[in-house]
Amino acid sequence: MGATKTEFYTAAQNEIALIAKALGHPARIAIIEYLLKVDTCICGDIVNELPLAQPTISQHLKELKNCGIIKGNIEGTAICYCIDEKVLTHFIAYFSTAANTLQQKKCC
Amino acid sequence: MGATKTEFYTAAQNEIALIAKALGHPARIAIIEYLLKVDTCICGDIVNELPLAQPTISQHLKELKNCGIIKGNIEGTAICYCIDEKVLTHFIAYFSTAANTLQQKKCC
DNA sequence: CTTATTTATTGCAATATTACGATTAAATAA
DNA sequence: TTATTTAATCGTAATATTGCAATAAATAAG
C-alpha cells in the first residue's frame, strides 16, 4: 500500500494528474513564474532566485521536464529552460472543458 | 528536512500549488470527472465507481474540499458534492494568463 | 430507543516526496 | 592538459501521501 493505483485510471486521467502533480509545489510554480518573467530563458539563476539549493532546483526542474511542461535546450555551458506551450495549452483546455460542462448544470 | 518551505513563497503561489496538488492524483481527477458526468450530484456512489475503499475516497474528497475545488452540502443522510466553479475558474485564469504571457515571447 | 445507512476519523504499513551535502559529468576557457 | 563553470546524480534523513481495516459519528427509519 501507499502507491497510487495508476493502472485503474485512463491514460488521459493519469496524464492530467501528472501535470497537475508537477505544478503542485510552490517552488515549481515559482520556477514557472520565473521562466515567464525573464526575457532570455538562460536560467541557471533560478538557483539565485529561490531559497533552495542547486540539487533541489535541479530535481524540481526534472519533474517539470518529466511531465513535459518545460523543456531544456543545451546552450553552451548553460541550459535554456522553456515552458512548452503545447502542454500548457492542453492542460488549460482540459479544465476549460470541465468548466464549460459545469456551467450547463448549476447543481448545488 | 523533507517538508516544503511554504513560507518562502507568495500566497498566490502557495494557493495555486495547493489546488494543483489536489488535482495531482488520478483518483481525484476521476472524482472530478464523475461529478461532471452525473446529473444529480448526490454522490456516495463515487465509491462504487472507483476501485478504492470508502475511507480512501473520503480522504480524497477531503483533500479536494481543503483546496476549495469542491464543496459538500449535507442532504439528509447523504452528502451532495459539487465543483466550486469560482475556484476552478480562478485556477484556469492563472494558467491562461501564463499562456498569454508566453505567446508574446517565443524564446526556445 | 434501536437499527440501518452514509460518511468521517483513527491507526498503521507501504511508498513517495522534499531537501541538501557530496560527488560526478559535461562543456568551455585558459 | 588543467581549471572553471554549470547542471545532474547519489545517498540519506525528514516528512508527506496513499490505501485500507476497524471504528466512530450522524442522521433516518421503524
Side-chain angles (χ1 to χ4, degrees), chain B residues 92-106:
Chain B
I92 295 167
Y94 176 88
F95 289 108
S96 294
T97 303
N100 286 342
T101 306
L102 193 64
Q103 277 191 329
Q104 290 153 10
K105 294 184 77 181
K106 288 288 167 213

Side-chain angles (χ1 to χ4, degrees), chain A residues 24 50 56 62 68 76 92 94 97:
Chain A
L50 300 189
T56 309
K62 192 180 174 182
I92 295 167
Y94 176 88
T97 304

Side-chain angles (χ1 to χ4, degrees), chain B residues 2 4-5 44 54-55 58 65 77 79 81:
Chain B
T4 300
K5 292 177 160 182
Q54 181 269 320
S58 191
K65 253 187 294 179
T77 171
I79 291 181
Y81 282 108

Side-chain angles (χ1 to χ4, degrees), chain A residues 6-22:
Chain A
T6 323
E7 64 276 15
F8 288 117
Y9 310 102
T10 67
Q13 287 170 340
N14 280 314
E15 196 203 356
I16 291 294
L18 222 76
I19 299 170
K21 191 176 186 179

